[in-house]
């Protein structure tokens, strides 16, 4: 079992499989993209398998595949097939922009990988295209509807962006009213490849909730698992739920159960901190498994208590980073 130096059990791995993406969401990276790493610096599928196996043997029982856009990686399904055979791994999920998932939907279902988070920050074509800087609205919309109607457990991630998409907060709840999905509104974080930096945000979780409450006064707070990052609610008469993720305000650090491994093998123990180790050279070299396990234990044994503490430990350079490198 993985327990950090603050007594928190770590059982959830967010594994980025690439830093590349076919969209250019303006809160995630600049229009020209970032300096994507060379292919040989990315973990290969067999290296991703080994890292996952080791971490599952240490107590990780939930893996979320993220990126970049996971499905730009042509060999992604090989990894997912392997993960679905791992004993002790109870939950495999994927976070995707849903542009490229279509050909894989049947196989995902066969593998039992039904927890899919779809990033969708607008239900209006123009707004979607302005934010993502690409014309993929129909594809995303069609794939989202297909996932929902085929019974996947879909959660929509909607980042509330000042001056860009607040007008869609209520409409997306209206559109999803009859669908059993969870719409999660996220606070924007300053991980956008350095194109903008900020110290406060207008759309924090309180502002988002107040805005929703004006339109839907009949909502109820739901019980959520203690390690959940979202505060969840149900609106009377709606089939699904909605949630708010205070990712900028960071009110959830006390129960954080997450570990991140980037596409280049960096081990990140806090989203707001610097990498604590790199596993790529270890799994690529002759390093024995025990040594790799020790490296992971060391990183987890030196975790910051909160995102604010992690951020204090280094200069502001972390905010030159993009979510496409970290995986969200
Ligand atoms: N490409 C996939 C997608 O967009 O779903 C997976 C990778 S993306 C980096 C993972 C998550 O990070 C997405 O839900 C995205 O909305 C979120 N994200 C990216 N940049 C963010 C930012 N600046 N603030 C908050 N969330 C962000
Ligand atoms: Fe790509 Fe996801 Fe970043 Fe958008 S949020 S640019 S889809 S990695």
């Amino acid at each position: 079992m993985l327990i950090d130096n603050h007594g928190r059990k770590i059982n959830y791995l967010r594994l980025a499989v690439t830093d590349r993406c076919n969209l250019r969401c303006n809160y995630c990276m600049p229009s020209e993209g970032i300096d994507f790493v060379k292919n040989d610096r990315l973990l290969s599928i067999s290296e991703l398998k080994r890292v996952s196996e080791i971490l599952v043997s240490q107590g990780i029982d939930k893996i979320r595949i993220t990126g970049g856009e996971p499905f730009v990686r042509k060999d992604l399904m090989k990894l997912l097939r392997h993960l679905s055979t791992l004993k002790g791994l109870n939950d495999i999920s994927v976070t995707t922009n849903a542009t490229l998932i279509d050909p894989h939907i049947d196989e995902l279902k066969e593998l039992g990988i039904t927890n899919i988070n779809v990033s969708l920050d607008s239900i209006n074509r123009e707004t979607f295209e302005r934010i993502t800087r690409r014309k993929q609205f129909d594809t995303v919309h069609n794939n989202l509807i297909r996932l929902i109607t085929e019974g996947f457990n879909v959660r929509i991630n909607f980042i509330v962006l000042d001056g860009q998409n607040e007008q869609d907060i209520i409409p997306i709840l209206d559109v999803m009213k009859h669908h059993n999905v969870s719409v999660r509104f996220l606070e924007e974080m300053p991980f956008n490849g350095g194109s903008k930096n900020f110290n406060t945000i207008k759309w924090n979780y309180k502002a988002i909730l107040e805005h929703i409450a004006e339109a839907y006064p009949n909502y109820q707070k739901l019980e959520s698992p203690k390690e959940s990052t979202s505060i969840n609610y149900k609106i009377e008469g709606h089939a699904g739920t909605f949630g708010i993720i205070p990712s900028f305000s960071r009110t959830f650090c006390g129960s954080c159960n997450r570990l991140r491994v980037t596409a280049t093998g960096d081990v990140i123990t806090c989203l707001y901190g610097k990498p604590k180790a790199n596993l790529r050279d270890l799994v690529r070299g002759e390093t024995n498994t025990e040594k790799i396990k020790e490296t992971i234990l060391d990183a987890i044994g030196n975790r910051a208590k909160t995102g604010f503490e992690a951020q204090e430990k280094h200069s502001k350079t972390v905010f030159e980073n993009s979510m496409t490198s970290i995986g969200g």
Side-chain angles (χ1 to χ4, degrees), residues 14 20-23 25-29 65-70 94-98 117-121 157-159 161 184 186-192 198 247 322-328:
R14 294 181 67 98
R20 290 161 174 68
C21 187
N22 57 337
L23 301 185
C25 303
N26 62 23
Y27 52 80
C28 181
M29 58 172 122
I65 300 296
T66 176
E69 173 47 39
V94 183
T95 297
T96 174
N97 61 30
N117 284 8
V118 173
S119 298
L120 178 69
D121 309 296
N157 285 350
F158 180 114
I159 301 179
L161 304 157
R184 290 131 39 99
L186 282 82
E187 291 177 348
E188 183 184 7
M189 290 182 271
F191 296 102
N192 46 50
F198 43 85
S247 29
S322 159
M323 276 299 198
T324 199
S325 315
I326 313 169

Side-chain angles (χ1 to χ4, degrees), residues 218-263:
N218 291 331
Y219 70 88
Q220 253 189 339
K221 192 169 175 190
L222 300 172
E223 282 289 319
S224 302
K226 85 170 180 4
E227 62 281 359
S228 169
T229 51
S230 59
I231 310 161
N232 299 301
Y233 304 89
K234 176 120 189 134
I235 296 171
E236 207 176 279
H238 284 221
T241 59
F242 78 91
I244 302 179
I245 305 189
S247 29
F248 182 85
S249 310
R250 288 166 258 180
T251 54
F252 43 62
C253 297
S255 53
C256 179
N257 64 343
R258 293 153 181 237
L259 182 70
R260 293 175 166 82
V261 174
T262 70

